Amino acid sequence: MMYKPQEHILVIFGGSGDLTRRKLIPALLALSGQDLLPDQFAVLGVGRTPYTDASYREMLAGHLQGGKDFLHSVFYLSMDPGKKEDYGILKTRLSEIAAARQTGINHIFYLATPPELYTSIPAFLADAGLTSREDGSWRRFILEKPFGTDYRSARDLNETLLRCLNEDQIYRIDHYLGKETVQNLLVTRFSNGIFEPLWNRNYVHHVQITSSERIGIETRGGYYDQAGALRDMLQNHLLQILGLIAMEPPTVISSDAIRNEILKVFQSFRPITGKAIKRQVIRGQYVGSRVQGETFKGYREEQDVPGDSRTETFVAMKMYIDNWRWGGIPFYIRTGKRLPTRVTEVVVHFKPTPHTLFCKWDQGVDNGNQLVIRIQPDEGILIQFGVKVQGAGFKVQDVKMDFHYKDLIDNKLPEAYQRLLLDCMQGDSTLFSRKDTVEAAWKFVDPILSAWDNDPSIPLHEYPVGTWGPDAAEQMIEGDVFTWRYPCRNRSDEGEYCAL
Ligand code: BG6
């Protein structure tokens, strides 16, 4: 909702880091440009780098276009967030800023730090008396991913946090939920009479979710090699998208009503265990190749990656949701680095007509009716259906009816972090992951992670940079007589950008 949040100070731990510079400060500047920040508001960046307020503002200004006025409300405190003794200085600094800027005692603490600090920062803040709420004021915590590395660590982290905080103070970020087009999944489904009647096992044949990236792991080898594609993208972003696709209609649009429905979907995932892992989950790792005249390194040659790493940079999975709506319908999900293009989309394939009256023009695979929801880039929705080919006979050709977001608005779609920061400021946790959902997602992927760690007979397939992943991922879906939808014109197309 478009109203200004209450006055507060936003404290960013990791204030000198990449995320703050690239995403958080630009998002705050955009909110300020739309007059959506409170009149009494300040940002306090916290980190070990020894900036002053002035040099911090100068560093941030170098990454922004404009924003001089906004930067007057940005401050910096150099402290070690891992040292309990430093929290006294933080408390004093917050009181000084609050007095100077009339920001009151509401605070958001944004933890853009390595996850090792997720338990100590809240505990040290609690000891310093900065987490308890008085007189209707609020203290909220935003935690970046990764939230745990498996079920047990996520559950332990939740337990530790809940010793000093309440669940309604915790905002676990999944930045995919902040994307306009991810939220549009809810609106498309539940504000249109035409889709909902078809949205079930009677009419849907299967669903595909693809999130491909052209980039590799850039300078994040240290983190990525411990994570891999399953933890980095599938356990969180892609399962959240699946939750929105598969959930039942909530009774109202409220944080708990929506998240309750997503949780039920997660609890209905059919576990993938034992022999099914080899059949239903394909992992891959990119190897060096030349694409369009350019040479790309393989994953094992990347910075901070061991030469014998077995971390997956691609994963494709076939899964089922065992409930009344989706019983028996396969969901195919894939994500990977160094694929031909950057695209995230959901494709709902509808069942064919019960009896074939007409023949296809091109005699190719009949992919039936498809609804493609493009999450990024070229955000929009496309419906594919058959029409008669002009002239004699009754031959059918597939055509596409498409809507592009860019035709609707002049500006670029807002960045996910704008929406998420504003929601947290307004106390709306709908687009953040709840404790039980995070744990349910880990519970689902845990058996796969441990089989990969412990069973050397499960292959790690290689795929050359610039391809759509290992052939085994094609075979998994083709065995069921479909193909993945290739967002580019055809499977071998290479290109930065593929239009819807
Ligand atoms: C992050 C992952 O959560 O999402 C990255 O850690 C990935 O590896 C990124 O590149 C993708 O986000 P987006 O918004 O660019 O699709």
Side-chain angles (χ1 to χ4, degrees), residues 108-343:
I108 295 178
F109 297 103
Y110 198 120
L111 274 53
T113 61
E116 297 77 72
L117 290 169
Y118 285 3
T119 47
S120 43
I121 295 177
F124 295 154
L125 287 168
D127 288 346
L130 285 166
T131 54
S132 53
R133 300 176 280 185
E134 302 147 22
D135 310 333
S137 67
W138 42 262
R139 307 285 157 83
R140 299 181 184 138
F141 285 74
I142 304 183
L143 274 74
E144 267 298 326
K145 62 168 275 237
F147 195 87
T149 52
D150 56 14
Y151 169 63
R152 180 185 286 240
S153 59
R155 193 199 52 195
D156 291 351
L157 178 54
N158 277 326
E159 267 173 22
T160 314
L161 288 171
L162 291 169
R163 267 184 229 133
C164 51
L165 304 174
N166 293 319
E167 175 63 24
D168 68 359
Q169 293 179 274
I170 307 175
Y171 292 71
R172 299 173 192 81
I173 286 247
D174 184 313
H175 80 280
Y176 266 57
L177 291 177
K179 291 182 192 272
E180 276 290 318
T181 36
V182 172
Q183 293 152 36
N184 190 42
L185 293 172
L186 274 181
V187 176
T188 303
R189 284 194 56 196
F190 301 130
S191 73
N192 291 298
I194 58 168
F195 296 123
E196 193 49 26
L198 305 180
W199 214 263
N200 56 55
R201 65 186 304 280
N202 298 322
Y203 298 98
V204 172
H205 191 276
H206 73 279
V207 177
Q208 299 182 7
I209 303 177
T210 292
S211 185
S212 68
E213 292 185 278
R214 197 174 153 85
I215 55 167
I217 52 154
E218 303 186 296
T219 51
R220 301 161 72 223
Y223 152 76
Y224 196 88
D225 200 61
Q226 298 299 311
L230 187 58
R231 288 190 175 94
D232 185 52
M233 289 291 290
L234 195 145
Q235 180 274 340
N236 38 63
H237 307 324
L238 299 192
L239 291 187
Q240 289 289 349
I241 294 177
L242 178 57
L244 293 172
I245 293 288
M247 69 191 263
E248 294 302 314
T251 44
V252 284
I253 293 298
S254 79
S255 164
D256 267 337
I258 293 178
R259 296 190 304 173
N260 288 345
E261 296 306 333
I262 294 180
L263 176 65
K264 285 186 211 160
V265 175
F266 284 19
Q267 289 170 334
S268 318
F269 291 158
R270 185 185 301 172
I272 305 181
T273 52
K275 289 197 179 125
I277 295 176
K278 251 190 213 167
R279 272 198 318 270
Q280 288 179 228
V281 193
I282 304 297
R283 57 175 169 168
Q285 190 186 66
Y286 62 81
V287 291
S289 83
R290 272 180 82 72
V291 183
Q292 292 172 328
E294 205 183 324
T295 304
F296 290 88
K297 283 187 202 162
Y299 175 69
R300 291 181 181 178
E301 285 99 58
E302 300 276 14
Q303 184 190 327
D304 300 329
V305 172
D308 58 353
S309 169
R310 289 187 56 79
T311 299
E312 80 289 355
T313 58
F314 174 96
V315 59
M317 180 185 284
K318 172 180 172 181
M319 59 185 288
Y320 291 92
I321 299 174
D322 284 338
N323 66 13
W324 200 264
R325 185 185 284 263
W326 296 114
I329 301 300
F331 289 77
Y332 298 91
I333 304 183
R334 64 177 170 168
T335 182
K337 302 263 182 211
R338 286 274 187 239
L339 303 186
T341 194
R342 172 176 183 251
V343 70

Side-chain angles (χ1 to χ4, degrees), residues 399-441:
V399 292
K400 292 170 177 162
M401 202 159 76
D402 53 358
F403 155 72
H404 298 258
Y405 256 96
K406 61 177 184 285
D407 297 337
L408 189 68
I409 48 165
D410 295 336
N411 301 329
K412 268 181 52 194
L413 288 174
E415 281 277 333
Y417 280 96
Q418 272 178 55
R419 170 70 195 246
L420 295 175
L421 280 166
L422 184 62
D423 279 7
C424 176
M425 290 176 186
Q426 291 172 336
D428 181 350
S429 52
T430 311
L431 301 177
F432 294 84
S433 316
R434 206 169 57 184
K435 168 186 183 298
D436 43 16
T437 338
V438 172
E439 290 180 11

